[in-house]
């Protein structure tokens, strides 16, 4: 008995050891961990932040590949345990990103960019007005659809408009990129770092909006004014024929934006209306048949009474005329009833057709209302997308394919990569940075806020805004940072993307989309990016602090 028990105990211990070994994967010496973590993090970050240079040419694995390889090394060598991965990844941010991509696809199918194009060109009579409209459309759409999505879609529209009227490309490309970055700071869903900050800090949507909207509007206004002044000489010699511009761009929009999916949706809507009308007509015919049967019965009954009277030789002609008048009155009533019913059916079908046509706008409005009343952002968007899926009644393969899974993998790996670095160097890095972080909202230090803003501005252009935000979020949570500190971090890290060409993914998207027409140079971008970014931060930061404290 004793031997049997001891054997069972040994077997259970062996199983536990095997489980522990499988969960640890491979454990390196604790003295080596900091060096190993630093090397993996720095090398991964170089590949993530690099753009078409010597490093990425020899190993073009992309941002997602770099992030996944770095995260895998962190897990495989015991910096982070495999069982901790689920807690390390911020699933709220991943769900919000995924659902916003799906909603953006439905908005594209609803021809929202065709509407944006018409807004750009409607009664536009000068280059200055066109520049202002590009800035407004880019900034407003970015606050709802994320800056990256807007830059992907708006850049070809503006390029085609400039090409059709021989306008210079660079001023309007700068307008798209810089306005998209500043405009995306207005809402928590405007860009990835805002999503991370809002979900990690547990910020209320309305409070974020209340503080950020003022600084965002001022920032876009300042940036637009600088664009008009900076490119004044480049634009003043161009005389635009905007009638030609409208005709050309309308043709382009019908061939590029109104794709087969959109046309298919319109056909489905028309089919649904036809089916509804057919059902209503069938019901109407059935009711007419029933009324005719009742009328015939009444006439036959009256006929019987007349025959009986004639057989009794007592027919009264006045009674017959009364019967005929009653029949005519009833026929008139039936005609009025059916005419009224037809009009009501037509009105109902028009209402249904209108609702179906603007269904995406209705869902978007309901999603924003859900944000403002404090509902979970990711699942609120996903709920709206689910309603649209039911309304569409078709396979969702196109919606699934519209999700940028590479970006989601990049963020998932980055969460793990930053967490591994954070565990080894958090204390040292926070000791250096903590004196300059404005945590005490009751006693605001202007110098501390200024230094903090400059540090975020510089670090975002070295490390990238998303990795920096991911690194700071756990420390701010531990320090119980007030809301205005989180919102200040969101605003500065977003506007910092305008400093250099590689400071924001949105900038790189614009550069990549336009390279066939104009190759945006690093220094060419820097000449406008530096004064615009510094001026917007100098004016926007005090607004954020004053409203948010």
């Amino acid at each position: 008995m004793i031997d049997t028990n001891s054997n069972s105990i040994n077997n259970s211990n062996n199983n536990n050891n095997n489980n522990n070994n499988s969960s640890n994967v491979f454990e390196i010496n604790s003295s080596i961990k900091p060096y190993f973590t630093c090397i993996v993090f720095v090398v991964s970050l170089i590949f993530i932040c690099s753009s078409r240079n010597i490093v990425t040419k020899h190993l073009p694995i992309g941002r997602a590949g770099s992030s996944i390889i770095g995260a895998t090394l962190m897990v495989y060598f015991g910096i982070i345990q495999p069982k901790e991965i689920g807690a390390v990844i911020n699933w709220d941010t991943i769900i919000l990103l995924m659902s916003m991509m799906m909603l953006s696809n439905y908005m594209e199918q609803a021809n929202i960019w065709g509407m944006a194009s018409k807004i750009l060109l409607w009664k536009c009579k000068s280059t200055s007005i066109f520049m202002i409209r590009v800035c407004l459309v880019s900034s407003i759409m970015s606050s709802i659809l994320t800056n990256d999505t807007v830059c992907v879609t708006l850049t070809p529209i503006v390029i085609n408009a400039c090409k059709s009227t021989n306008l210079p490309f660079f001023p309007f490309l700068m307008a798209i990129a810089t306005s998209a970055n500043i405009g995306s700071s207005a809402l928590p869903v405007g860009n990835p770092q805002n999503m991370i900050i809002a979900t990690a800090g547990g910020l209320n949507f309305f409070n974020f909006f209340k503080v950020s909207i003022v600084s965002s509007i001022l920032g876009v206004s300042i940036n637009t004014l600088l664009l008009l002044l900076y490119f004044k000489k480049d634009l003043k010699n161009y005389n635009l024929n905007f009638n030609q511009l409208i005709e050309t761009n309308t043709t382009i929009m019908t061939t590029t934006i109104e794709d087969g999916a959109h046309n298919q949706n319109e056909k489905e809507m028309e089919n649904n209306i036809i089916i509804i009308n057919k059902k209503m007509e069938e019901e109407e015919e059935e009711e007419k048949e029933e009324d005719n049967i009742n009328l015939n019965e009444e006439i036959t009954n009256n006929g019987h009474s007349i025959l009986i009277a004639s057989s009794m030789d007592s027919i009264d002609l006045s009674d017959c005329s009364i019967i005929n008048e009653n029949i005519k009155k009833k026929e008139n009533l039936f005609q009025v009833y059916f005419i009224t019913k037809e009009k009501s059916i037509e009105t109902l079908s028009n209402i249904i057709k209108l609702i179906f046509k603007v269904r995406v706008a209705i869902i978007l409005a309901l999603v924003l209302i859900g944000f403002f009343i404090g509902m979970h952002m990711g699942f609120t968007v996903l709920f709206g997308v689910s309603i649209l899926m039911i309304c569409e009644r078709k396979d969702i393969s196109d919606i699934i394919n519209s999700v940028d899974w590479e970006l989601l993998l990049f963020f998932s790996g980055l969460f793990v990569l930053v967490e591994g670095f954070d565990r080894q160097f958090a204390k040292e890095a926070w000791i250096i940075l903590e004196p300059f972080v404005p945590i005490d909202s009751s006693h605001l230090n202007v110098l501390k806020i200024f230094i903090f803003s400059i540090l975020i501005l510089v670090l975002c252009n070295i490390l990238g805004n998303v990795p920096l935000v991911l690194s700071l979020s756990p420390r701010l949570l531990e320090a119980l940072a007030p809301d205005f500190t989180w919102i200040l971090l969101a605003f500065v890290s977003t506007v910092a993307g305008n400093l250099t060409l590689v400071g924001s993914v949105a900038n790189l998207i614009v550069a990549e989309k336009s390279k066939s027409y104009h190759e945006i140079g690093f220094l060419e971008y820097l000449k406008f990016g530096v004064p615009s970014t510094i001026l917007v931060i100098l004016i926007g930061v005090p607004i954020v602090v004053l409203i948010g404290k």
Side-chain angles (χ1 to χ4, degrees), residues 351-369:
I351 292 172
I352 293 171
K353 190 174 182 180
L354 179 62
I355 291 173
F356 196 87
K357 191 174 183 179
V358 299
R359 64 194 180 281
V360 177
I362 293 172
I363 292 298
L364 179 61
L366 293 175
V367 166
L368 291 175
I369 291 171

Side-chain angles (χ1 to χ4, degrees), residues 433-549:
L433 192 61
E434 185 180 15
F436 307 107
V437 179
I439 295 174
D440 188 3
S441 59
S442 59
H443 301 286
L444 295 178
N445 189 319
V446 176
L447 181 61
K448 181 182 286 190
I449 293 171
F450 175 76
I451 295 174
F452 176 75
S453 300
I454 296 300
L455 285 173
I456 298 300
L457 175 65
V458 174
L459 290 174
C460 279
N461 282 274
I462 297 174
L463 303 176
N465 45 22
V466 173
L468 179 65
V469 166
L470 284 174
S471 299
L472 288 178
S473 294
R475 306 284 76 79
L476 293 178
L477 279 174
E478 291 176 1
L480 301 176
D483 286 356
F484 95 88
T485 304
W486 290 95
I487 298 173
L488 179 63
L489 173 63
F491 178 76
V492 177
S493 63
T494 299
V495 177
N498 282 343
L499 186 67
T500 65
L501 180 61
V502 297
S504 169
V505 175
N507 300 345
L508 297 175
I509 290 171
V510 173
E512 186 68 21
K513 288 282 182 182
S514 62
K515 64 181 180 182
S516 300
Y517 304 95
H518 182 88
E519 190 82 22
I520 300 177
F522 185 86
L523 291 177
E524 184 183 29
Y525 184 100
L526 196 68
K527 290 177 181 178
F528 178 81
V530 170
S532 172
T533 304
I534 292 175
L535 194 57
V536 170
I537 285 179
L538 285 176
I539 295 176
V541 167
I543 300 297
V544 171
V545 174
L546 290 174
I547 299 176
K549 70 174 183 177

Side-chain angles (χ1 to χ4, degrees), residues 44-77:
S44 299
L45 208 61
I46 289 172
F47 276 91
I48 289 170
C49 297
S50 298
S51 174
R52 293 186 301 170
N53 57 17
I54 298 174
V55 177
T56 54
K57 279 183 178 178
H58 291 289
L59 192 60
I61 56 177
R63 294 188 304 158
S66 305
S67 174
I68 291 170
I69 292 171
T72 302
L73 292 174
M74 290 287 187
V75 175
Y76 193 77
F77 289 96

Side-chain angles (χ1 to χ4, degrees), residues 117-131:
S117 176
K118 290 177 182 177
I119 292 171
L120 283 175
L121 307 174
W122 184 67
K123 293 185 179 180
C124 195
K125 297 179 180 180
S126 69
T127 55
S128 299
I129 294 174
F130 185 60
M131 174 71 80

Side-chain angles (χ1 to χ4, degrees), residues 334-347:
F334 285 135
Q335 288 178 358
V336 172
Y337 170 75
F338 286 123
I339 291 170
T340 307
K341 190 171 183 179
E342 286 175 0
K343 287 183 178 179
S344 62
I345 290 170
E346 185 179 356
T347 303

